[in-house]
Amino acid sequence: MKSLHPLQTLVLGLISLLATNPAMAQEKFNIATGLGHPELINLGLRYQMGQSQLGISAGFFPGEYEDVYSVGGDYYYHFGETSVLSIRRPWYGRLGIYQLRLETDYEKRKYLLLVPRLGKDFNLSPKLGIAADAGLSFVLSREEEGLFEDIGGMSDVILSIGFSLFYRL
């Protein structure tokens, strides 16, 4: 039996969570989609607790000859002056941990990354916004095998940038 792709698992989890908890307080959950490194093209869910958030996401990057995907979790702490459209403060620090995998016919690479970032929410309405953040990715562990393993993979420290569109439920 073929296992589910991490993105499929996340989508199924989101649907079941939202379907089973219709009476929960509003604006505690945010759905987000975005683009970044190491998140790739991603879909995520965030849970808000005051000025903090916990988030999970799964992403992929399309390629004809390779499979690239990531799964991860983040902690956000919001600070700064309040926004007109939201009680959540717009500036945030974000600390994430991600697993990034690349597989081709010739090689397999797996990285565990620590990703600290600073960012800002740009509220478009009380429910909708855009977030942008930047920081660094630190490789905590790596597994590289295949024909190109001697060429080298990802550097130990790399730039990390992300953009997302979020919707408060």
Side-chain angles (χ1 to χ4, degrees):
M1 181 176 172
K2 187 176 177 183
S3 64
L4 289 177
H5 188 278
L7 190 56
Q8 292 170 326
T9 304
L10 179 64
V11 170
L12 289 173
L14 288 173
I15 291 169
S16 66
L17 182 65
L18 295 174
T20 59
N21 294 315
M24 292 188 79
Q26 293 298 308
E27 296 188 26
K28 287 284 188 184
F29 286 99
N30 291 219
I31 292 179
T33 184
L35 176 65
H37 186 276
E39 308 98 307
L40 309 173
I41 299 169
N42 65 80
L43 179 64
L45 178 69
R46 299 178 194 158
Y47 179 74
Q48 184 154 343
M49 306 161 294
Q51 294 300 324
S52 295
Q53 287 181 301
L54 293 175
I56 57 170
S57 70
F60 73 99
F61 194 81
E64 186 174 345
Y65 301 107
E66 61 188 11
D67 292 325
V68 183
Y69 57 94
S70 71
V71 292
D74 293 290
Y75 171 75
Y76 298 77
Y77 180 74
H78 290 264
F79 60 91
E81 295 190 19
T82 58
S83 171
V84 174
L85 297 173
S86 173
I87 60 170
R88 187 169 69 209
R89 295 176 177 160
W91 289 95
Y92 60 86
R94 173 180 176 184
L95 183 62
I97 190 155
Y98 282 83
Q99 183 180 69
L100 181 63
R101 296 182 70 126
L102 174 129
E103 294 183 22
T104 70
D105 292 338
Y106 307 105
E107 67 180 332
K108 291 182 182 181
R109 296 176 187 259
K110 182 168 62 170
Y111 303 97
L112 184 64
L113 304 167
L114 181 67
V115 186
R117 292 185 182 164
L118 288 175
K120 185 174 182 186
D121 288 345
F122 300 92
N123 295 301
L124 304 175
S125 76
K127 295 277 189 186
L128 187 66
I130 297 171
D133 51 41
L136 298 173
S137 292
F138 298 93
V139 176
L140 299 176
S141 72
R142 65 177 71 231
E143 294 177 28
E144 299 169 330
E145 61 182 63
L147 291 177
F148 305 113
E149 98 181 72
D150 293 336
I151 295 174
M154 186 181 300
S155 297
D156 287 338
V157 179
I158 58 173
L159 181 63
S160 178
I161 298 174
F163 301 94
S164 64
L165 176 69
F166 61 86
Y167 183 78
R168 295 180 185 100
L169 299 177

